[in-house]
Amino acid sequence: MNFPFFVARRIREPQQTTFSATVSRVGIVTIALGVAVGIVALSVLFGFKDTIYQKVFLFGSHLQVNKLSLNQSFESAPLPLHTKPYDQWQQIKGIRHRQAVAHKAGILKTPDELQGAVIKGVGRDYDWKLLAENLVEGRVIQYSDTAYANEIIVSRIISQKLNLKLNDEVLMYFVQNPPRVRKLKIVGVYETNLEEFDNQLVLGDIGLVQRLNGWGPDSVGSYEYFVKDFAQLEPTAKELYAQLPSYMRLERVTDKYRPLFEWLQLLDQNTMVLLALVFFVTCFNIASVLLVMMMERTPMVGLLKTLGSPDSQIRRIFFYVGLQLTLKGLIIGNIVGLGLCWLQSKFQIIPLDPVNYFMNTVPIVFDWPSYLFLNVGILSVITLILLIPTLIISRIRPAQSLVFKK
């Protein structure tokens, strides 16, 4: 029989009226609360970042290849469609998908309103899955085999400014020589809540942009690439850059939208500070609980020493007590934290102001490796902290402890 573990189990079942029983419950609640707060904080952080990423990647892509030029306008110089970086993209292991796009600035006009916009021409290779979560009305563009599609997808902000509805037709003027105008049909409405996109970007057929620019079907504005793992963006970018000819340039989404990604990094730091505070408070409380339980059982420590128990054996008794409290707190904390996240994910209980937070509700992402790291981290730190209060056992004298009064 494991004597320290046996005694620890008996100590772990004190009378409900004793002071140590109350302190034990406080310790369990503290650990459970710390774990629950950590799980919720990580779920919201990853959910928030994932939601923002998906909105940015809808129009930004992970990597973009353009023709090297001094042109800083929305319209880029034409690139040949069939090149090594475009046709042999599957040779780069880190890339998941690639597509060709083209941009052109114009003016949307109704009888009463005007609105500047940039049409992003996309083709059959466009990854429409990115738009699925942000498409609030209508459908995606349907392409024709004989001509370009005169269909567009506008943002909710643009549709409200121009008083347009689904299936309405709108004129779009393009300032060029000679100026041109096209009548386009609204087949979808998207909403990202990111003003940089919603105020100006319109999705349309890349064939329309090619026709307006006088390009052939083998000319595009840029190549867009999506990586399999965003954490491997930099190595993938270097591998892609090595295949580019001298007249092409590569732009990362983290450089194109640098302020946004720096802001997301600040969120990471804030979450780490919160978790550090949770760790500190949890460890301090469990150490205090164990110290109180040891002081209340000072006569028992003296009796065990009198009977010949070494200090290391008595330390293990209280170490097991603290470890049992910690495990119980971890179990309760995981149940509470995951339960709250599930409720928010399922029923979207807590709303947000999209003007300030770019989304309508608090987002939740279940990241199991992070939860495992959180639990292992708390358990490891508390295990080390539990060794500190047990050190006072060596200072307890049997003759004094046997007459110790609680």
Side-chain angles (χ1 to χ4, degrees):
M1 177 184 294
N2 189 331
F3 177 72
F5 186 74
F6 172 77
V7 176
R9 288 185 59 187
R10 298 297 299 270
I11 295 177
R12 183 60 193 88
E13 301 172 359
Q15 298 179 1
Q16 298 298 314
T17 57
T18 61
F19 179 67
S20 62
T22 302
V23 172
S24 298
R25 288 193 290 270
V26 172
I28 293 174
V29 171
T30 301
I31 296 174
L33 185 61
V35 175
V37 169
I39 289 176
V40 172
L42 290 173
S43 300
V44 173
L45 172 66
F46 290 125
F48 192 82
K49 291 178 64 175
D50 184 69
T51 302
I52 295 296
Y53 283 165
Q54 295 307 315
K55 293 177 184 293
V56 172
F57 299 155
L58 173 61
F59 295 108
S61 75
H62 298 154
L63 299 168
Q64 188 176 61
V65 174
N66 300 289
K67 189 172 184 178
L68 187 63
S69 68
L70 299 177
N71 183 11
Q72 299 297 321
S73 67
F74 290 107
E75 302 179 28
S76 55
L79 280 174
L81 181 60
H82 297 292
T83 60
K84 181 180 178 181
Y86 188 80
D87 292 334
Q88 301 180 16
W89 65 276
Q90 292 179 327
Q91 295 182 2
I92 303 177
K93 297 180 180 179
I95 294 180
R96 172 183 62 83
H97 177 74
R98 66 95 174 89
Q99 58 197 26
V101 301
H103 294 80
K104 191 169 185 63
I107 300 174
L108 293 170
K109 183 180 183 302
T110 63
D112 301 319
E113 301 290 343
L114 292 172
Q115 174 68 34
V118 176
I119 185 169
K120 178 177 181 177
V122 297
R124 298 177 188 270
D125 58 353
Y126 186 72
D127 188 2
W128 290 105
K129 294 179 181 179
L130 295 172
L131 185 66
E133 295 184 2
N134 297 287
L135 188 65
V136 294
E137 289 184 76
R139 58 173 174 81
V140 300
I141 297 171
Q142 294 180 350
Y143 295 94
S144 171
D145 294 331
T146 57
Y148 66 82
N150 64 340
E151 300 176 345
I152 59 173
I153 300 174
V154 301
S155 69
R156 174 168 285 177
I157 291 179
I158 292 178
S159 65
Q160 290 175 348
K161 287 182 178 180
L162 299 179
N163 297 318
L164 294 171
K165 302 185 297 295
L166 205 62
N167 297 319
D168 285 352
E169 292 185 336
V170 61
L171 296 177
M172 189 165 189
Y173 290 83
F174 299 93
V175 181
Q176 57 186 80
N177 191 17
R180 296 186 180 183
V181 59
R182 292 291 185 272
K183 181 183 289 187
L184 305 173
K185 181 181 179 181
I186 298 175
V187 297
V189 177
Y190 74 86
E191 184 177 34
T192 67
N193 294 310
L194 295 175
E195 293 184 358
E196 186 169 354
F197 300 141
D198 289 1
N199 284 335
Q200 61 182 6
L201 278 173
V202 174
L203 285 175
D205 188 356
I206 192 173
L208 170 61
V209 179
Q210 290 171 333
R211 179 69 63 85
L212 291 169
N213 288 340
W215 299 347
D218 292 336
S219 295
V220 297
S222 58
Y223 311 148
E224 292 186 341
Y225 297 87
F226 295 89
V227 299
K228 298 176 182 177
D229 183 4
F230 190 70
Q232 299 299 316
L233 178 67
E234 189 61 29
T236 306
K238 291 181 179 179
E239 188 174 355
L240 176 61
Y241 181 78
Q243 295 191 7
L244 297 183
S246 59
Y247 64 88
M248 295 184 185
R249 67 183 180 91
L250 177 66
E251 187 175 27
R252 301 166 181 80
V253 67
T254 51
D255 296 330
K256 189 174 183 179
Y257 302 103
R258 183 178 297 275
L260 180 61
F261 283 89
E262 290 179 348
W263 173 57
L264 291 175
Q265 288 179 356
L266 288 177
L267 290 181
D268 290 343
Q269 296 177 6
N270 293 338
T271 303
M272 292 303 105
V273 171
L274 174 63
L275 292 179
L277 292 175
V278 168
F279 267 62
F280 174 78
V281 173
T282 302
C283 293
F284 178 81
N285 277 294
I286 194 62
S288 301
V289 168
L290 189 60
L291 186 60
V292 169
M293 296 182 70
M294 290 172 55
M295 295 301 295
E296 190 176 44
R297 286 172 174 76
T298 299
M300 184 196 76
V301 174
L303 179 61
L304 290 175
K305 284 192 172 187
T306 302
L307 295 176
S309 294
D311 290 342
S312 60
Q313 189 179 61
I314 302 175
R315 287 196 192 100
R316 288 203 304 272
I317 292 174
F318 289 98
F319 176 79
Y320 289 149
V321 172
L323 194 59
Q324 291 172 13
L325 293 175
T326 301
L327 292 175
K328 189 171 183 179
L330 286 175
I331 294 172
I332 296 175
N334 279 274
I335 293 174
V336 173
L338 292 174
L340 292 174
C341 292
W342 179 82
L343 289 174
Q344 175 62 25
S345 176
K346 187 73 173 178
F347 302 104
Q348 299 181 348
I349 301 172
I350 305 176
L352 291 176
D353 181 7
V355 176
N356 296 318
Y357 296 97
F358 315 120
M359 57 199 72
N360 298 317
T361 184
V362 175
I364 297 293
V365 167
F366 291 95
D367 191 81
W368 301 106
S370 297
Y371 301 155
L372 178 62
F373 178 78
L374 176 68
N375 281 268
V376 172
I378 291 180
L379 182 61
S380 301
V381 173
I382 289 180
T383 299
L384 295 175
I385 294 297
L386 288 176
L387 298 175
I388 298 176
T390 59
L391 295 177
I392 68 171
I393 290 176
S394 60
R395 305 181 61 181
I396 297 178
R397 300 289 180 264
Q400 298 175 349
S401 60
L402 289 174
V403 296
F404 180 80
K405 294 191 178 180
K406 298 182 280 185

